[in-house]
Amino acid sequence: SRAALPLTAVAEAAALARATARRSLITLAHLGYVVAEDGLFRLTPRVLDLGFARLSALTLPEIAQPHLASLVARVHDSASMAVLVGDDIQYVARVPTVRIMSVDITLGTRFPAHATSMGRVLLAGLPSRERGERLRRADLRPLTPRTVTSAARLDAILDQADRDGHALVEEELEEGLRSIAVPVRDRDGRVVAAINVSMHAGRLTAGQARESLLPPLRDTAARIERDLHVAGRHLKIRTS
């Protein structure tokens, strides 16, 4: 927080003995991270290298994973992150609790976007022209008797998801499964991913699920976005 500090202030701030702080500063100066001028020590731009190597390898799933783990600890249901790949969603991060689907979801698992809560959030975040083109060419095949297969109806659902800032899907991907998702946005406000919580449809009503799960979901998305925005100041973060 200060441009330069004397040795005593450095030692106090680091809770080190004065002699220890002096030896550390001499080493850092030798390595080019610190310069000493008129009894004051200041950092050089080279200190950015210390964090940049790690930052440059950071991906969005790595940013999201600890936040998803905290979300699962709060809601006691599985949480995931997905991105849009063609007409599918692809799972890039996941923290499971108990298995609630017949398909074992692992990183890289893909599902049709139109029948999933994360897919609808991601589709809702697209520019209207691109969304329309996707819906015209999409194979809206039914996966359960409740799957929406009408492009016009799905477009209206996506408009509502965009206005609401979330999507809830009831037994459209698999019978007995409910999921609710919210978007994750980059620094420019673009939807780059979605996170969801999934559960057995019979455990809560849709209204109860929204009431109990939307606040922690939105809080988790905000925490992921804060980390993403900070990292995004320095480089482009990969989504997988």
Side-chain angles (χ1 to χ4, degrees), residues 14-68:
L16 295 172
R18 193 173 185 276
T20 303
R22 181 175 179 277
R23 288 194 298 271
S24 299
L25 287 167
I26 289 172
T27 300
L28 290 169
H30 177 72
L31 295 172
Y33 296 114
V34 168
V35 293
E37 296 175 345
D38 300 324
L40 298 175
F41 296 89
R42 64 175 177 83
L43 300 174
T44 72
R46 189 174 181 182
V47 296
L48 296 174
D49 292 343
L50 294 174
F52 190 80
R54 171 60 183 146
L55 186 62
S56 64
L58 202 59
T59 65
L60 179 55
E62 287 178 304
I63 291 173
Q65 192 73 21
H67 296 296
L68 292 179

Side-chain angles (χ1 to χ4, degrees), residues 161-213:
D162 189 33
R163 290 192 295 270
D164 294 344
H166 76 274
L168 185 145
V169 169
E170 293 266 16
E171 301 186 81
E172 294 189 47
L173 178 64
E174 181 170 306
E175 292 186 21
L177 178 70
R178 174 193 292 125
S179 66
I180 183 168
V182 299
V184 174
R185 301 179 185 273
D186 65 12
R187 296 181 69 210
D188 297 320
R190 293 172 299 195
V191 176
V192 294
I195 59 172
N196 85 338
V197 170
S198 53
M199 73 205 77
H200 287 289
R203 193 164 65 79
L204 298 171
T205 67
Q208 290 171 332
R210 284 190 174 95
E211 183 178 352
S212 63
L213 296 175

Side-chain angles (χ1 to χ4, degrees), residues 2 14 28 47 51 56 62 71 76 78 81 99 103 109 121 126 135 137 141 150 190 206 224 233:
R2 290 170 58 184
L28 290 169
V47 296
S56 64
E62 287 178 304
L71 174 61
H76 308 295
S78 300
M81 170 179 275
R99 182 173 169 181
V103 177
T109 295
V121 163
L126 294 174
L135 291 182
R137 69 167 187 263
R141 61 188 182 278
S150 162
R190 293 172 299 195
I224 293 170
R233 293 175 189 167

Side-chain angles (χ1 to χ4, degrees), residues 88-110:
D88 296 335
I89 61 164
Q90 184 170 42
Y91 282 73
V92 295
R94 179 165 170 79
V95 179
T97 50
V98 295
R99 182 173 169 181
I100 58 174
M101 292 190 66
S102 61
V103 177
D104 188 19
I105 298 175
T106 58
L107 298 188
T109 295
R110 292 169 66 155

